Amino acid sequence: MLIGQDPNRWKRFMVSFVLFLIVAGMVMSNSMILQALDSVFQALLAPNPNHTPNATYHIMVVVSFLGSPKMALVWMLIITFFLWGFKYKVPALWAWLTLIVGDLLDEIVKYLAKRDRPLQHPTGDHGYSFPSGHVMGTFLVAAVLFLIVVPLIKNAAVRVVCQLLLIMAVFLVAVSRIYLYAHYPFDTVGAMLLAYAWLQISETLYLTFANDIKRRWRKTANSKL
C-alpha cells in the first residue's frame, strides 16, 4: 500500500489535535497572549497594511488565488483524474474524500470560533477567520501529493525536491494570507494543525477500508493500493 501501517500515527494525531484545541481555545476566549503573538508576527509578515500594489503584493495575490479553496478542488480533481487513469482508483477516492471532509471541518470550526478577520482584510474575503480555508485546502492537497504521488517517483533526488516544493507551497500560501491581512498568523497555524490531525485519521481510514472497497466495488476491482 502507498500508505503503510505506522504505530506512531495516533501519537501524531493526539499531539496535533491537542495543540489545535489549545489554539482554538485561545481564539475563542480572545486570549491576550494570542492577540499579542498575532500582532507581532503580523507586523513581521504583513508590512503592507494599505495594500500598496507593489511587486510583492501582486505575487502574494497570485499565490493566495492558487491556494484558494476553489483552486484546491481543481488541483485535487486533476490529481484524482490521473490517479484513476493510472489504476490508483481507491487512492483517488481517498484523496477526494480527504479534501472534502477537511473543507467541511474547516467550515464547522469557523462557525464555532466566529473569529472576525483583521480590520485591513480585503473586501473580497468573506466569512470568519479561524482557521484559514486556503491553508487547510493547500495542506491537504500537498499531503496527498506527498503521500501518494511523490512516492511513485523513482529518482530519490527528484522525490526530495518535490517534497521540499510541497512544503514551500503550504508555507507561501500561509504567508500570503497573512501578508494580505486576510488572516491572523495563528489562523494559518490552526489550519495546519487541524489539517494534520484530520490527515492522521484519514490515513487510518484508508488502511481500514481500502481493501474492502477494492473487493466490493466492481469499478475499483483492478485498483492499485
Side-chain angles (χ1 to χ4, degrees), residues 114-181:
K114 290 184 170 64
R115 189 184 201 189
D116 292 327
R117 293 181 185 270
L119 293 177
Q120 304 93 334
H121 79 277
T123 55
D125 289 309
H126 304 289
Y128 294 116
S129 189
F130 178 87
S132 167
H134 283 64
V135 175
M136 183 85 173
T138 302
F139 188 104
L140 292 175
V141 170
V144 167
L145 290 170
F146 202 104
L147 291 170
I148 291 182
V149 178
V150 173
L152 299 176
I153 299 173
K154 295 181 179 181
N155 188 292
V158 175
R159 285 200 304 271
V160 172
V161 170
C162 290
Q163 290 168 345
L164 292 175
L165 288 174
L166 290 172
I167 294 171
M168 187 181 300
V170 176
F171 175 76
L172 285 176
V173 170
V175 170
S176 74
R177 301 305 286 162
I178 299 168
Y179 182 92
L180 297 172
Y181 282 86

Side-chain angles (χ1 to χ4, degrees), residues 35-49 56 60 171 174-181 183-186:
Q35 291 180 34
L37 290 172
D38 271 333
S39 297
V40 170
F41 287 116
Q42 198 158 41
L44 292 172
L45 298 173
N48 186 18
T56 304
M60 291 301 175
F171 175 76
V175 170
S176 74
R177 301 305 286 162
I178 299 168
Y179 182 92
L180 297 172
Y181 282 86
H183 288 286
Y184 295 101
F186 272 88

Side-chain angles (χ1 to χ4, degrees), residues 57-79:
Y57 172 79
H58 290 303
I59 292 172
M60 291 301 175
V61 168
V62 171
V63 171
S64 180
F65 169 75
L66 293 176
S68 66
K70 290 181 180 179
M71 287 305 298
L73 292 172
V74 172
W75 302 135
M76 193 62 82
L77 183 62
I78 294 171
I79 293 167

